[in-house]
Amino acid sequence: MKKTHLTETRFSNLELSDSIIKGLKEAGFINCTPIQDKSLPLSLRGKDIAGQAQTGTGKTATFLLATFQHLINDESEKIKNPRALILAPTRELAIQIHKDALVLSKYLNLKFALIYGGTDYQKQLEKIKTNVDIIIGTPGRIIDFYKQGAFTLDNIQVTVLDEADRMFDLGFIKDIRFLLRRMPPADQRLNLLFSATLSYKVTELAYEHMNNPVLIRIEPEEVTSKAIKQIAYCPANDQKIPLLLGLLKHHQPQRSIVFVNTKRCAERLDDYLQANGYKVAMLSGDVPQEKRQKLLAAFQDNQVNLLIATDVAARGLHIPDVSHVFNYDLPQDVEDYVHRIGRTARFGASGEAISFICEEYAYSMPDIKDYIGEKIPVAPIEPELLAEQVAKPERREPRERVVQHGKRPPRPDHKPREQRPRPAANRASTPENPQSPETPQSV
């Protein structure tokens, strides 16, 4: 890490237990980042925090350390059922928080349950029924298990909301309030909220469900990190692929993410990059969870060094050593630009963000410039930056809709049309088949 991105405050000087300090040292954490320096002295003494800081500045460690210390300070008889609940907007972020928690709690006797949708339902249900100290997960499945009586919220001593702004974006606020209202009162627990932006809605949530929180903002005037070198090009639509291939060859990125706006574009780009010799992983919203985790693991382990992603991957992924981020498509939401480029230059490293201002999404750039408060330099497209030879991929067959002899293949439960039941509205009304608008029949 570069010391310019750290403070003089050392973790060993904070009110943290020796076991926590030992785990921090082994993980390579010696000095605090600014958000840790401002938040931990207060939260370690039981003060609620609503914190705003840029992505990649150590917010996760901030709330994990405060949570751990609060739980081990409790000298009461061992309580069954969870004592802390950490909520994240996406399963990727929940998985990463859990991973960090295991590292930082190496010398603590704490048990965790990782809960999220999309996979391992029964396994997670059985886990949460055991005597776990901390639940980390997404709201939907946690509420599902709560309503089944798998655990209680009566003994919650610490509540964490991570990326609260994203909770609003994804429509989770009703779920969040459902859980908060079933916990002990706010003044009987430690409440920690962290967000990339402390908008009016997020601040209102903090004051409604927290105990007089301290608002901490770190460098609010600097929306994007100075460690990220930003540059843009203005290609025609048919230049985007040759330009991307040329830039990849020119920069030789150690590990890079290419962001696109649609799954269709991701698939097309995936085909072209693979046809031109790149090992690529593609991440979009409908990728099954198990496959998604394998793709991310392959990316982190350098089995592939190029990830194509829609905005499902823009937040919450703490992947080290991403040297370059490419906005192949400019995002249509200005905040997504900040979160995308924040995948590079994490924890003091430097990085480069390259954006294509193409014909289709050029209208987004003025709003992005206004939001980040700076103009992104536009470089000319020199001829040497365009790949001369671009191998075209073989034509992709439509996924799960292979056409045979001009017809779709029949489904396993397919019946000839004459054997299918007619809709209720088209059947004649008979004593055996009465019609009633109050009792429509399913088709």
Side-chain angles (χ1 to χ4, degrees), residues 272-322:
Y272 264 96
L273 288 171
Q274 293 203 48
N276 285 273
Y278 288 93
K279 287 186 177 180
V280 183
M282 187 186 75
L283 194 63
S284 61
D286 61 350
V287 174
Q289 183 60 26
E290 290 185 8
K291 182 178 180 182
R292 184 183 314 216
Q293 289 176 234
K294 289 180 181 178
L295 290 175
L296 289 173
F299 187 56
Q300 292 185 3
D301 295 340
N302 285 323
Q303 297 174 30
V304 296
N305 61 5
L306 184 57
L307 177 69
I308 302 170
T310 55
D311 282 308
V312 70
R315 294 180 181 236
L317 294 183
H318 302 273
I319 300 172
D321 303 323
V322 174

Side-chain angles (χ1 to χ4, degrees), residues 14-21 40 43-45 63-74 108 110 158 190:
L14 300 177
E15 297 178 48
L16 292 166
S17 72
D18 291 341
S19 298
I20 292 178
I21 295 296
L40 281 170
S43 59
L44 290 174
R45 295 195 172 189
F63 64 71
L64 285 176
L65 296 177
T67 299
F68 297 162
Q69 190 63 52
H70 193 85
L71 295 186
I72 64 178
N73 283 347
D74 180 36
L108 304 176
L110 294 174
V158 184
L190 176 66

Side-chain angles (χ1 to χ4, degrees), residues 58-95:
K59 288 181 287 183
T60 302
T62 304
F63 64 71
L64 285 176
L65 296 177
T67 299
F68 297 162
Q69 190 63 52
H70 193 85
L71 295 186
I72 64 178
N73 283 347
D74 180 36
E75 297 178 355
S76 63
E77 185 179 348
K78 184 69 175 177
I79 298 173
K80 292 186 177 180
N81 295 308
R83 294 185 290 150
L85 180 64
I86 299 175
L87 295 169
T90 65
R91 46 196 167 192
E92 289 80 18
L93 181 54
I95 291 168

Side-chain angles (χ1 to χ4, degrees), residues 2 52 70 73 82 141 233 254 262 272 289 299 395:
K2 295 182 180 180
Q52 171 185 299
H70 193 85
N73 283 347
R141 182 162 286 185
Y233 296 93
Q254 173 184 351
T262 66
Y272 264 96
Q289 183 60 26
F299 187 56
R395 186 171 181 179

Side-chain angles (χ1 to χ4, degrees), residues 267 271 394-404:
E267 291 177 346
D271 290 342
E394 295 182 6
R395 186 171 181 179
R396 178 193 289 262
E397 289 290 344
R399 296 183 178 181
E400 300 180 0
R401 293 184 61 187
V402 179
V403 177
Q404 298 174 347

Side-chain angles (χ1 to χ4, degrees), residues 115-117 121 124-125 128 138-151 175 178-179:
I115 306 299
Y116 55 86
Y121 188 92
Q124 292 179 16
L125 180 59
I128 207 171
T138 52
R141 182 162 286 185
I142 288 176
I143 290 177
D144 181 358
F145 290 162
Y146 174 79
K147 288 182 175 179
Q148 294 186 47
F151 67 97
D175 291 343
F178 175 91
L179 292 167

